[in-house]
């Protein structure tokens, strides 16, 4: 199995401290209470936070028989991405000729996924803020600077264009994020859509 | 937009028309026994109008030439790019003009629930799957016939009898298919047919107009023409009429008596022209164009209603029930669906295009925001955000150092000065509450801030003076240091000293807090940092009774404690070429610029929280 850099991978052998979170060498903070399956298939870029009761389905890789193929990363997450409590990240699947094919989930940098969300998107770009209790349907694509309001249900295959506010069930574009979105953060503060550095830093084991 | 408490909204100065000029003394609104005559000039946060003036700071822009805040009311938008939000395809301006503002590729929305429709092949991978190809590629291989399917509500175009031969260019294919699968003629065919018909008619006698019993017309009877056809017919009819009347055809003259008094007929128009234009009048009167007649048949664009049309609709509604009828929202979504009474009449809605827009100041026409034109890019070429120019205000509750009100002293004073226990969703009424207001300075110059607030907030309900809250700013005038790199401060000795002092102060504050001693003093700032200063606000919330059932004002916001706050900042800044010079250079005194005094004033509304209602 080849991988760009082994250090980028979440490793349980990293510097671990007693407490809620296990912190890896690259600064990933993973809750001890998170349920992570298929660990080798999950790629965290570093300084990613995975909170308690998060369920990462890394075991759902492309096909059952292609496990030996070179690229079977199922979930990849960018830097300073926070997955709040009770979320499920479930790679989307498509039934084709009687075989279930799973497709990888890609999550960008500075993405906040609120508590109790179900994410089956194919890609989530950077600086996305997802409110609590959202459902992101299979194969949905979320572009940059998007805000998804609480409890939105994004239907299957929906493409959310950059810079919009989405809400409702089924989710539709309800507005646009202001120009200053994510830019109002001062030192020591975290705003929606902005850099999540401080939020990540504030989470301690 | 409902923000969580506490929030700060900024009022764009464009909303104040006459009440505020730069000469207004900010102290006129200072608590001086609540001067009644000044009440009118303060910002009324509860007025319905205020909703249109208040914005979160992120939404506002700043014009560098006018030195003023700009809100959506005082900027103009210019469309840069049109794109489909679903396929992210960019549309050229000319395409939008010719084809309309909807995606003309294959993006459709469900007519029932408005989620995106996906194109599904009916026979998925029949025999084309090859062994060598990757399983991922095989999944895409679906063969026709294709249909549109809603992944959210499971609506499919098969329900309205529409299927497609190709999986691409659905828009064009859909144009040619009516609900139920009937193929319509293309526009060219239609025109050809029209022309043929008209030739027949013009060659024939006048009686043919009254009885359009041509074979084509009878054929059409089974399918009433839709709006688009009718409009095309009507358009063609009037074009031909204009042609005939200007050509001086004898045919047109025969109907002169019929339509001479029609409002839109050119006969009327020329009559009016001759009435008002004296010099044109007599000459024009002689060669007055022959007036036109009105459309009479379906072929000419008239919709003929049959007696049983409505009965049929009522009958089908009775049979199929409420669920089979369309909602107003569904009908409004697309002009094609506007007359659809039944769900089976609805057609898939082509996705509306979205735009990327640049923004200009309405006054000086300077660009405030200019995004990169590409859809995929989220960067900006120009972006003048208000939050980079005006100080931001943050509010947070502070435990009451001593109960000033009549209520019992706070039960537990935590070591930290921030009261996490104070619930802003239920502020106890008539009990003093201390709030910490932090002013952050984004500018590279130190600013002088003057705050003012009406001593009593506007009443939350009409005729309820008890609901007014008393607000006191303990330190209404203070300075906030300049922003800039953290390192500038380390290099600057004076700033370093002040920083040390502030650290000492903070430490002292912490100590005194631990013993519960630190008192907010009038005229003194609470805490000070490099580019921020916090002051204490004391609020005595008003009493809000439980909502009166009849009052239409007692909406959900009828118990929100909002404080109107007037902010005035003064600062000195360099102008001219040295404007972009870094603070280091300035501190070194290397460049001597002309200093300019600037001031900026605006109203804010601090949303503190909800006052607990008393029965």
């Amino acid at each position: 199995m080849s991988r760009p850099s082994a250090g980028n991978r979440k490793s349980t052998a990293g510097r671990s401290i007693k407490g809620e979170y296990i912190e890896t060498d690259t600064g990933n903070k993973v809750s001890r209470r998170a349920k992570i399956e298929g660990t080798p298939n999950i790629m965290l870029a570093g300084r990613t936070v995975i909170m308690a009761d998060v369920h990462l389905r890394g075991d759902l890789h492309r096909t059952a028989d292609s496990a030996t193929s070179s690229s079977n990363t199922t979930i990849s997450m960018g830097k300073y991405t926070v997955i709040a409590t009770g979320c499920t990240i479930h790679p989307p699947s498509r039934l084709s000729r009687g075989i279930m094919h799973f497709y990888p989930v890609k999550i960008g940098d500075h993405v906040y996924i609120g508590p109790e969300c179900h994410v089956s998107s194919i890609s989530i770009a950077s600086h996305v803020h997802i409110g609590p209790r959202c459902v992101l349907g299979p194969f949905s694509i979320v572009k940059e600077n998007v805000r998804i309001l609480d409890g939105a249900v994004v239907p299957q295959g929906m493409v959310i264009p950059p810079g919009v506010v989405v809400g409702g069930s089924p989710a539709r574009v309800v507005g646009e994020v202001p120009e200053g979105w994510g830019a109002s953060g001062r030192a020591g503060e975290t705003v929606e859509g902005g850099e999540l550095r401080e939020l990540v830093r504030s989470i301690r084991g | 937009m409902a923000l969580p408490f506490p929030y700060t909204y900024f009022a764009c100065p464009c909303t104040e028309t006459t009440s505020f000029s730069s000469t207004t003394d900010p102290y006129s609104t200072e608590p001086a026994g609540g001067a009644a005559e000044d009440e009118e000039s303060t910002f009324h946060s509860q007025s319905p109008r205020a909703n249109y003036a208040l914005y979160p700071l992120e939404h506002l822009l700043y014009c560098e030439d006018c030195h003023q805040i700009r809100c959506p009311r005082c900027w103009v938008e210019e469309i840069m790019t049109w794109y489909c939000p679903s396929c992210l395809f960019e549309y050229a301006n000319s395409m939008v003009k010719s084809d309309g503002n909807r995606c003309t590729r294959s993006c459709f929305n469900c007519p029932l629930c408005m989620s995106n429709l996906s194109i599904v092949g009916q026979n998925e991978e029949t025999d084309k799957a090859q062994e060598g190809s990757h399983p991922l590629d095989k999944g895409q291989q679906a063969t026709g016939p294709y249909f549109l399917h809603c992944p959210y509500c499971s609506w499919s175009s098969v329900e309205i009898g529409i299927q497609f031969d190709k999986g691409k260019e659905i828009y064009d294919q859909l144009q040619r298919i009516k609900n139920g699968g009937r193929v319509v003629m293309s526009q060219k065919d239609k025109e050809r047919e029209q022309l043929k018909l008209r030739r027949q008619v013009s060659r024939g006698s006048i009686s043919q107009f009254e009885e359009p019993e041509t074979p084509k017309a009878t054929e059409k009877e089974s399918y009433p023409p839709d709006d688009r056809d009718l409009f095309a017919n009507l358009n063609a009819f009037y074009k031909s009429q204009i042609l005939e009347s200007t050509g001086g055809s004898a045919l047109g003259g025969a109907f002169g008596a019929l339509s001479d008094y029609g409002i839109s007929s050119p006969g009327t128009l020329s009559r009016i022209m001759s009435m008002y234009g004296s010099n044109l009048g007599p000459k024009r009167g002689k060669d007055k164009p022959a007036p036109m007649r009105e459309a009479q048949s379906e072929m000419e664009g008239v919709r003929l209603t049959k007696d049983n049309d409505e009965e049929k609709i009522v009958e089908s509604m009775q049979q199929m029930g409420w669920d089979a009828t369309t909602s107003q929202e569904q009908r409004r979504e697309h002009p094609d669906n506007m007359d659809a009474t039944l769900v089976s009449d609805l057609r898939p809605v082509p996705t509306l295009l979205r735009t990327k827009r640049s923004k200009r100041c309405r006054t000086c026409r300077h660009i405030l925001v200019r995004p990169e034109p590409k859809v995929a890019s989220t960067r900006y070429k120009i972006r003048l955000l208000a939050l980079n120019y005006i100080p931001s205000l943050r509010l947070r509750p502070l435990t009451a150092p001593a109960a000033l009100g009549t209520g019992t002293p706070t039960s537990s004073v935590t070591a930290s000065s921030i009261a996490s226990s104070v619930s802003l969703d239920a502020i106890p009424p008539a009990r003093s509450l201390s709030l910490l207001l932090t002013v952050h300075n984004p500018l590279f110059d130190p600013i002088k801030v003057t705050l003012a607030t009406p001593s009593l907030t506007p009443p939350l309900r009409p005729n309820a003076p008890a609901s007014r809250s008393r607000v006191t700013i303990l330190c209404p005038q203070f300075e906030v240091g300049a922003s800039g790199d953290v390192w500038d401060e380390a290099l600057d000795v004076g700033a370093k000293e002040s920083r040390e002092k502030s650290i000492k102060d903070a430490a002292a504050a912490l100590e005194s807090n631990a013993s519960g001693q630190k008192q907010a003093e009038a005229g003194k700032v609470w805490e000070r940092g490099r580019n921020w200063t916090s002051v204490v606000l004391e609020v005595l919330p008003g009493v809000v009774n439980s909502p009166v059932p009849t009052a239409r004002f007692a909406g959900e916001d009828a118990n929100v404690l909002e404080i109107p706050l007037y902010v005035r900042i003064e600062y000195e800044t360099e102008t001219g070429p040295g404007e972009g010079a870094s603070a280091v250079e300035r501190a070194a005194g290397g460049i001597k610029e002309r200093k300019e005094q600037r001031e900026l004033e605006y109203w804010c509304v601090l949303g503190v929280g909800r006052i607990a209602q008393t029965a």
Side-chain angles (χ1 to χ4, degrees):
Chain A
M1 215 186 298
S2 69
R3 202 167 295 282
S5 72
N8 273 356
R9 188 158 49 103
K10 184 196 79 66
S11 65
T12 43
R15 176 165 54 95
S16 68
I17 42 160
K18 280 278 166 231
E20 157 101 57
Y21 290 95
I22 300 165
E23 200 174 335
T24 66
D25 293 339
T26 49
N28 294 314
K29 293 170 184 177
V30 181
S31 171
R32 287 174 197 277
R33 286 184 285 154
K35 202 172 173 193
I36 294 166
E37 283 160 53
T39 321
N41 301 329
I42 298 171
M43 194 112 99
L44 305 182
R47 301 190 182 85
T48 306
V49 176
I50 292 165
M51 293 193 182
D53 301 320
V54 169
H55 198 174
L56 300 183
R57 293 299 304 272
D59 55 329
L60 303 175
H61 48 76
R62 288 195 165 171
T63 42
D65 56 308
S66 72
T68 49
S69 76
S70 58
S71 64
N72 58 353
T73 304
T74 52
I75 301 172
S76 61
M77 278 183 226
K79 284 188 174 176
Y80 300 107
T81 285
V82 177
I83 314 288
T85 51
C87 282
T88 306
I89 299 194
H90 187 286
S93 63
R94 183 175 279 160
L95 191 69
S96 165
R97 296 205 303 145
I99 306 164
M100 196 66 99
H101 295 290
F102 288 95
Y103 294 78
V105 178
K106 217 177 245 173
I107 299 175
D109 304 337
H110 300 283
V111 174
Y112 175 84
I113 300 180
E116 290 162 47
C117 285
H118 181 95
V119 177
S120 280
S121 299
I122 198 100
S123 92
I124 297 175
S126 299
H127 293 283
V128 173
H129 184 96
I130 300 171
R133 295 177 305 281
C134 288
V135 176
L136 274 75
F139 300 103
S140 53
I141 297 170
V142 185
K143 295 283 178 183
E144 288 91 355
N145 298 341
V146 167
R147 182 197 161 104
I148 300 178
L149 300 177
D150 304 3
V153 178
V154 177
Q156 179 179 343
M158 183 179 179
V159 180
I160 301 177
V164 298
V165 181
V166 163
S169 168
R172 46 199 297 186
V173 177
V174 292
E176 286 181 348
V177 298
E179 274 78 24
W181 204 61
S184 65
R186 304 257 165 271
E189 282 178 343
T190 309
V191 287
E192 290 173 6
E195 313 248 300
L196 299 180
R197 220 163 260 145
E198 286 302 324
L199 179 65
V200 172
R201 204 169 288 160
S202 68
I203 293 165
R204 295 209 182 85
Chain B
M1 206 178 285
L3 294 178
F5 294 115
Y7 56 78
T8 315
Y9 285 139
F10 289 75
C12 179
C14 72
T15 56
E16 3 174 306
T17 46
T18 51
S19 51
F20 281 102
S21 59
S22 55
T23 53
T24 310
D25 181 14
Y27 289 109
S28 62
T29 53
E30 269 292 62
E37 67 269 21
D38 288 330
E39 278 298 312
E40 281 170 13
S41 61
T42 60
F43 190 84
H44 198 299
S45 61
Q46 292 295 321
S47 81
R49 221 169 239 273
N51 279 335
Y52 301 101
L54 295 171
Y55 297 92
L57 187 55
E58 303 93 270
H59 289 246
L60 294 171
L61 303 175
Y62 184 86
C63 180
E64 275 193 329
D65 291 84
C66 308
H67 300 297
Q68 198 56 269
I69 303 169
R70 290 285 170 244
C71 74
R73 289 211 304 193
C74 44
W75 71 56
V76 278
E77 295 189 345
E78 284 168 11
I79 293 167
M80 299 182 69
T81 320
W82 295 81
Y83 67 95
C84 169
S86 188
C87 58
L88 302 178
F89 180 78
E90 271 179 46
Y91 282 84
N93 254 337
S94 54
M95 270 170 92
V96 175
K97 268 176 194 152
S98 61
D99 300 345
N101 58 348
R102 291 183 186 264
C103 183
T104 51
R105 299 170 96 209
S106 298
C107 303
F108 284 92
N109 287 9
C110 174
L112 302 186
C113 69
M114 290 314 295
S115 66
N116 290 45
L117 294 175
S118 52
I119 302 157
V120 183
Q122 217 148 34
N123 310 314
E124 215 175 308
E125 350 163 22
T126 43
D127 50 356
K128 284 187 185 167
Q130 286 126 30
E131 287 90 69
S133 67
H134 195 270
L136 282 181
D137 308 328
K138 277 186 224 162
Q140 307 292 338
Q141 279 180 2
T143 52
Y146 297 86
F147 59 94
L148 293 166
H149 173 78
C150 173
Y152 187 79
C153 68
S154 289
W155 179 89
S156 106
S157 65
V158 179
E159 283 175 34
I160 55 166
I162 290 181
Q163 289 192 5
F164 307 100
D165 303 330
K166 288 184 290 174
K168 282 174 185 170
E169 291 160 355
I170 300 287
Y171 185 85
D172 294 338
Q173 292 186 61
L174 188 73
Q175 293 281 77
R176 293 196 292 271
I177 310 172
K178 288 266 161 271
N179 279 15
R182 184 169 55 89
V183 177
V184 291
M185 278 181 289
S186 71
Q187 198 62 38
K188 264 188 186 166
D189 288 344
K190 245 184 246 166
E191 275 166 20
R192 207 172 298 139
E193 189 210 20
Q194 287 280 331
L195 206 68
K196 217 164 84 188
L197 257 169
R198 217 163 289 126
R199 267 197 208 122
Q200 275 179 4
V201 166
S202 58
R203 245 183 267 126
S205 65
I206 297 156
S207 64
Q208 256 183 307
F209 272 108
E210 281 136 23
E211 263 183 279
E213 284 301 313
T214 52
K216 289 274 185 212
T218 47
E219 203 177 277
K220 263 190 182 172
E221 208 105 57
S222 52
Y223 300 113
D226 64 2
D227 291 343
R228 213 168 288 184
D229 293 337
L230 281 178
F231 181 74
N233 288 352
L234 198 63
N235 206 8
F237 168 71
Y238 276 119
K239 265 184 196 162
S240 71
Q241 283 295 300
I242 288 170
L243 208 72
E244 279 173 22
S245 63
T246 51
S249 160
L251 196 76
F255 294 91
L258 283 176
S259 57
D260 202 14
Y261 293 98
I263 285 168
S264 57
S265 80
T268 318
L269 196 69
S270 67
R271 212 171 54 239
I272 293 169
M273 287 294 281
S274 64
M275 259 182 227
Y276 292 106
S278 55
N279 53 343
L280 290 171
K283 219 178 182 186
R284 279 292 193 140
K286 276 170 200 163
D287 53 325
K288 177 177 136 188
M292 300 196 294
R293 63 183 185 85
E294 295 296 333
Q296 284 172 333
S297 67
E298 218 163 62
M299 195 193 81
E300 292 166 355
V302 172
R303 170 166 287 171
L304 304 167
T305 37
K306 292 178 198 75
D307 299 336
N308 58 350
D309 270 5
E310 291 190 341
E311 280 167 30
K312 264 187 203 163
I313 291 169
V314 171
E315 204 174 283
S316 51
M317 277 163 77
Q318 271 175 343
Q319 275 174 3
M320 288 184 265
W322 176 253
D323 291 337
T325 56
T326 56
S327 73
Q328 201 156 34
E329 219 169 83
Q330 289 165 353
R331 266 178 278 170
R332 268 202 305 257
E333 211 54 61
H334 194 266
D336 275 358
N337 293 342
M338 277 178 184
D339 293 329
T341 32
L342 299 172
V343 168
S344 58
D345 298 333
L346 291 171
R347 288 171 70 75
V349 180
T351 305
L352 262 179
L353 302 182
R354 294 192 68 79
T355 53
K356 273 192 129 176
R357 300 177 303 278
S358 66
K359 283 155 192 172
R360 274 177 196 277
C361 175
R362 224 179 251 280
T363 336
C364 68
R365 313 294 294 172
H366 273 86
I367 293 174
L368 304 175
V369 166
R370 190 172 185 82
E372 284 189 359
K374 276 188 187 152
V375 175
S377 168
T378 51
R379 278 178 298 184
Y380 291 90
K381 282 178 181 161
I382 300 168
R383 184 167 66 152
L384 304 173
L385 298 176
L387 48 88
N388 294 334
Y389 291 91
I390 69 170
S392 65
L393 307 168
R394 304 277 147 123
L395 198 69
R396 62 177 192 189
L398 191 75
T399 35
L404 295 177
T406 50
T408 52
T410 40
S411 51
S412 62
V413 179
T414 49
S416 134
S417 65
I418 303 152
S420 53
S421 59
V422 172
S423 168
L424 293 176
D425 285 326
I427 298 168
R431 193 181 294 176
S432 168
L433 177 75
S434 291
L435 300 164
L436 198 61
L437 180 72
T438 309
V439 181
H440 275 272
N441 179 16
L443 297 161
F444 293 100
D445 304 286
I447 54 168
K448 268 186 215 156
V449 180
T450 309
L451 302 177
T453 172
S455 58
L456 288 169
T457 60
L460 296 172
R461 302 210 184 110
N463 309 321
S467 67
R468 309 182 79 173
S469 306
R470 191 169 288 276
V471 185
T472 316
I473 302 168
L474 292 188
C475 180
Q477 223 173 0
F478 51 89
E479 284 190 18
V480 185
S483 182
D485 279 334
V486 184
W487 303 116
D488 294 348
E489 183 197 4
L491 294 169
D492 191 358
V493 183
K496 197 178 174 188
E497 274 169 10
S498 72
R499 193 169 120 258
E500 274 167 4
K501 191 172 161 275
S502 74
I503 290 169
K504 250 180 247 168
D505 282 352
L510 214 68
E511 257 172 48
S512 55
N513 274 337
S515 53
Q517 291 291 310
K518 178 154 182 179
Q519 290 272 340
E521 277 179 72
K524 277 197 178 173
V525 297
W526 177 264
E527 236 177 326
R528 196 190 287 274
R530 185 168 56 88
N531 65 338
W532 56 269
T533 303
S534 33
V535 292
V536 175
L537 247 70
E538 268 179 7
V539 183
L540 188 67
V543 179
V544 183
N545 299 321
S546 58
V548 193
T550 53
R552 68 176 217 276
F553 301 100
E556 53 178 31
D557 287 341
N559 59 344
V560 173
L561 171 57
E562 283 187 329
I563 304 169
L565 184 75
Y566 181 71
V567 183
R568 178 192 165 91
I569 59 167
E570 277 175 52
Y571 60 99
E572 213 171 51
T573 188
E574 289 94 12
T575 52
E579 203 154 32
S582 74
V584 183
E585 283 172 294
R586 247 176 265 157
I591 307 160
K592 285 270 178 262
E593 295 103 347
R594 197 162 56 83
K595 294 264 183 181
E596 195 190 67
Q597 191 78 26
R598 272 189 203 151
E599 52 189 58
L600 188 65
E601 43 199 21
Y602 49 87
W603 279 93
C604 294
V605 168
L606 308 172
V608 181
R610 287 178 192 280
I611 302 173
Q613 293 181 346
T614 51

